[in-house]
Amino acid sequence: MDQVSLSAFAFLFSELVQYSQKHVKGIQDLEKRLNLVGYRVGQRLLELLVFRDRGSKRDVKLLNALLFINTNVWKALFGKPADSLEKSSEHDDEYMISDNDLVVNRYISIPKEMSQLNTGAFIAGIVEAMLDGSGFPARVTAHTVPVAGFPFRTTILIKFDAKVMDREKRLADK
Amino acid sequence: MSYYFAIVGTRDSPIYEAAIGNPLKDDGKHLHQFVLHAALDFVDDIMWTTPNMYLRVVDKFNDWFVSAFVSAGNIRFMLLHDSKNEDGIRNFFTDVHELYVKSLMNPFYEVNDPIDNPAFDLKVRTIARRYL
């Protein structure tokens, strides 16, 4: 498995954020831009990782697709599986993947006026592309959810489209 | 022993086509596309019932069969053929899938772009000669 220099990546990512910042007017736009860049990465990563790790098997069930992202994708990107995968208790179609110390955020400091921003939007873009590609369209966003001991814990919130839930129900009943 | 092969993108339009040999020669090329397009509905139904990428024969047209293979990113590889050759066709699909993943790694290639690289075409025909 190849290693990439962390500092090189940190530089590249910080430059990416700064470049995007020049062309947008606000936090939502900045997150959307990072999301788009991540989306392109995710499309390729999906095919590549499934081809390498899974032979010729696709994920047909929602939970399996999420588990694949939780373990395989995180391992390929960060060397370890994500810290947790949870299902929201209020909404049936929302899931959350959390990471206590997202590598991309480690070297980005966010000023107080932009405390809403979470540059994990890049990772959210990767996840969104992987879910979209496998047939589970969703809206994916990144949020900072501090928890005791981990002030920079990032949660990736995944909200699936209605037709995904309908199809899951239909397939589960059969 | 002729075949018509097409790679269909996520928006249901072909991104690559190749006619090997001379299938359905009386009716013309548009009939190939029509048959494959009609078979897409069957592919869409069957792909949710199995985690396999290779979906075997999904549709039949007169005496021609349509076999399909779905990739992780929902790209469909479809083959119109007249003889049953499951193993050969599965190997063909696997190799072309690998070729597709390699073209996808090109940062200038977007998903759903048409593939018009002559090297890709040559490799597909070589793989076809080997397995079909």
Side-chain angles (χ1 to χ4, degrees):
Chain A
M1 191 67 222
D2 327 76
Q3 305 273 341
V4 178
S5 142
L6 179 59
S7 36
F9 175 72
F11 265 125
L12 182 62
F13 189 69
S14 87
E15 192 50 47
L16 178 67
V17 176
Q18 286 178 51
Y19 177 80
S20 313
Q21 236 179 336
K22 278 196 219 119
H23 296 251
V24 298
K25 297 190 192 68
I27 298 182
Q28 298 278 35
D29 272 344
L30 180 55
E31 287 204 345
K32 198 139 96 85
R33 271 220 158 196
L34 292 176
N35 190 307
L36 275 173
V37 179
Y39 196 89
R40 294 194 53 194
V41 177
Q43 284 174 321
R44 291 159 172 75
L45 205 56
L46 171 65
E47 291 268 7
L48 187 64
L49 283 183
V50 173
F51 179 74
R52 266 200 226 149
D53 295 346
R54 288 295 202 85
S56 291
K57 298 274 180 197
R58 307 165 19 239
D59 288 311
V60 189
K61 292 228 195 71
L62 189 112
L63 197 54
N64 292 344
L66 283 174
L67 279 167
F68 179 68
I69 296 185
N70 201 19
T71 25
N72 298 51
V73 178
W74 239 253
K75 244 208 215 131
L77 292 175
F78 309 120
K80 63 173 182 64
D83 289 318
S84 75
L85 167 65
E86 297 155 325
K87 183 169 147 69
S88 158
S89 34
E90 303 131 35
H91 302 144
D92 241 346
D93 50 358
E94 281 185 2
Y95 288 79
M96 296 159 287
I97 297 183
S98 309
D99 194 317
N100 291 332
D101 182 20
L102 210 50
V103 173
V104 300
N105 282 352
R106 221 184 286 172
Y107 300 106
I108 307 274
S109 45
I110 306 202
K112 262 213 209 69
E113 8 359 308
M114 300 185 138
S115 59
Q116 295 256 11
L117 170 70
N118 187 324
T119 45
F122 177 68
I123 303 295
I126 296 184
V127 176
E128 184 165 347
M130 304 194 76
L131 289 172
D132 263 352
S134 359
F136 302 102
R139 241 175 332 141
V140 186
T141 43
H143 305 271
T144 329
V145 186
V147 141
F150 302 111
F152 298 111
R153 184 176 152 105
T154 309
T155 300
I156 312 271
L157 181 64
I158 304 168
K159 190 170 171 68
F160 288 103
D161 281 359
K163 60 180 182 193
V164 176
M165 307 314 293
D166 285 341
R167 191 181 59 214
E168 280 292 302
K169 223 180 287 176
R170 228 185 332 123
L171 289 175
D173 292 335
K174 244 196 269 191
Chain B
M1 292 293 281
S2 38
Y3 305 88
Y4 179 73
F5 173 64
I7 303 182
V8 184
T10 60
R11 309 234 174 86
D12 288 354
S13 56
I15 57 180
Y16 173 76
E17 299 168 279
I20 302 162
N22 212 345
L24 295 174
K25 49 182 174 296
D26 331 315
D27 304 311
K29 190 159 167 257
H30 6 273
L31 192 59
H32 304 160
Q33 297 192 344
F34 182 74
V35 172
L36 285 187
H37 203 268
L40 277 180
D41 282 336
F42 289 98
V43 176
D44 280 343
D45 278 337
I46 298 180
M47 69 186 241
W48 292 110
T49 63
T50 167
N52 290 330
M53 287 186 176
Y54 178 47
L55 301 177
R56 304 200 169 149
V57 175
V58 299
D59 193 19
K60 208 171 160 321
F61 174 75
N62 292 348
D63 28 321
W64 291 80
F65 301 98
V66 180
S67 289
F69 178 99
V70 185
S71 82
N74 241 1
I75 306 290
R76 278 128 321 169
F77 301 78
M78 314 206 37
L79 183 69
L80 189 64
H81 57 100
D82 57 356
S83 50
K84 273 197 186 258
N85 180 5
E86 291 219 340
D87 281 334
I89 294 181
R90 180 184 309 153
N91 289 331
F92 172 72
F93 277 140
T94 315
D95 276 6
V96 179
H97 178 227
E98 178 173 357
L99 202 55
Y100 173 75
V101 174
K102 287 188 188 152
S103 340
L104 187 59
M105 291 298 114
N106 177 358
F108 296 114
Y109 174 77
E110 298 282 347
V111 176
N112 283 334
D113 273 356
I115 304 177
D116 42 16
N117 186 342
F120 185 89
D121 184 53
L122 185 62
K123 287 207 185 102
V124 171
R125 288 176 192 278
T126 316
I127 298 174
R129 241 197 320 249
R130 197 185 316 150
Y131 291 119
L132 296 176

